[in-house]
């Protein structure tokens, strides 16, 4: 017999003995004949008795136990952390690198840029509020010029509670309006 055949028989005999310990073997055993004419069991369930190995085949070597991989949930339960969390924590705990100190000329240039930016934004702010203030003064002056106790003054002082845009304002759409389309023809009122 070849050494490959012996090792396969050893493996099959161990599997068969384990299967026999767990459940009884069926009454009829099936086996197949290989191309060499040797008979081999189909599965470990169908073997009737384990094959004993003799000492002539060599010393038996203890097989090392296979360690199972620890899943993330088990790893976390043991006190370990998720690798994504570790990456985030390392990024947050990283030391802050300070830029190298700038020269006096560079500091003066940065100061001038910051001052010009502040002056420009202040001018924009002042121009916007001056424009709004002028419009409010013109509106109040126009309301004062309306005749007292008139319908015009009442309409001018009316405040709409509607928060959206005015009803007369068109809503932008992706396509132009359809000529001759009247949406009121399609509105059904409940009776």
């Amino acid at each position: 017999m070849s050494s490959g055949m012996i090792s396969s028989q050893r493996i099959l005999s161990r599997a068969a003995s384990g299967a026999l310990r767990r459940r009884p073997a069926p009454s009829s055993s099936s086996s197949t004949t290989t191309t060499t004419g040797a008979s081999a069991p189909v599965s470990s369930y169908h073997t009737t008795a384990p094959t004993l190995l003799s000492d002539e085949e060599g010393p038996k070597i203890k097989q090392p136990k296979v360690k199972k991989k620890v899943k993330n949930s088990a790893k976390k339960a043991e006190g370990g952390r998720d690798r994504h969390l570790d990456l985030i924590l390392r990024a947050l705990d990283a030391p802050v690198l300070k830029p190298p100190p700038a020269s006096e000329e560079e500091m003066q240039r940065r100061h001038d840029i910051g001052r010009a930016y502040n002056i420009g934004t202040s001018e924009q702010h002042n121009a916007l509020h001056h424009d709004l203030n002028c419009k409010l003064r013109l509106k109040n002056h126009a309301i004062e010029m309306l005749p007292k106790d008139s319908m015009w003054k009442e309409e001018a002082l009316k405040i709409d509670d509607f928060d959206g845009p005015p009803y007369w304002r068109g809503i932008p759409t992706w396509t132009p309006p359809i000529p001759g389309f009247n949406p009121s023809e399609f509105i059904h009122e409940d009776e």
Side-chain angles (χ1 to χ4, degrees):
M1 284 187 150
S2 68
S3 64
M5 187 67 148
I6 293 171
S7 64
S8 64
Q9 285 179 349
R10 183 182 297 170
I11 293 170
L12 286 174
S13 66
R14 286 183 185 168
S17 64
L20 287 176
R21 273 184 253 137
R22 286 187 216 107
R23 56 186 162 199
S27 59
S28 65
S29 66
S30 63
S31 42
T32 59
T33 306
T34 59
T35 57
T36 59
S39 175
V42 173
S43 69
S44 62
Y45 185 85
H46 295 290
T47 57
T48 56
T51 307
L52 298 175
L53 299 174
S54 64
D55 291 339
E56 298 171 358
E57 296 173 1
K60 297 178 183 175
I61 300 171
K62 182 179 178 182
Q63 296 292 325
K65 292 185 178 179
V66 177
K67 293 183 180 180
K68 294 182 180 177
K69 288 187 178 181
V70 179
K71 293 189 177 181
N72 287 342
S73 59
K75 182 180 169 186
K76 289 179 188 175
E78 294 174 1
R81 292 191 297 209
D82 187 26
R83 73 179 176 130
H84 296 295
L85 178 63
D86 282 338
L87 180 68
I88 292 169
L89 290 176
R90 278 188 278 138
L92 291 174
D93 293 341
V96 178
L97 300 177
K98 293 182 179 180
S103 65
E104 288 294 326
E105 298 167 353
E106 179 65 21
M107 293 299 286
Q108 183 63 38
R109 186 182 78 81
R110 292 177 186 177
H111 179 269
D112 294 341
I113 290 171
R115 184 172 177 170
Y117 175 79
N118 284 338
I119 290 171
T121 52
S122 296
E123 287 175 355
Q124 278 183 335
H125 176 267
N126 292 341
L128 174 66
H129 285 275
H130 175 72
D131 184 44
L132 290 175
N133 196 10
C134 289
K135 289 177 180 177
L136 286 173
R137 283 187 186 174
L138 285 172
K139 175 186 167 186
N140 291 334
H141 182 68
I143 289 172
E144 288 174 7
M145 297 299 292
L146 291 173
K148 293 182 180 179
D149 300 328
S150 69
M151 179 183 72
W152 291 344
K153 193 165 192 169
E154 289 175 12
E155 285 293 322
L157 295 176
K158 191 186 293 184
I159 297 174
D160 292 332
D161 290 336
F162 182 67
D163 290 336
Y167 289 117
W168 51 264
R169 183 178 296 163
I171 298 173
T173 58
W174 289 106
T175 57
I178 300 169
F181 177 74
N182 187 5
S184 62
E185 295 175 2
F186 298 95
I187 297 175
H188 299 290
E189 294 183 10
D190 294 334
E191 293 180 17

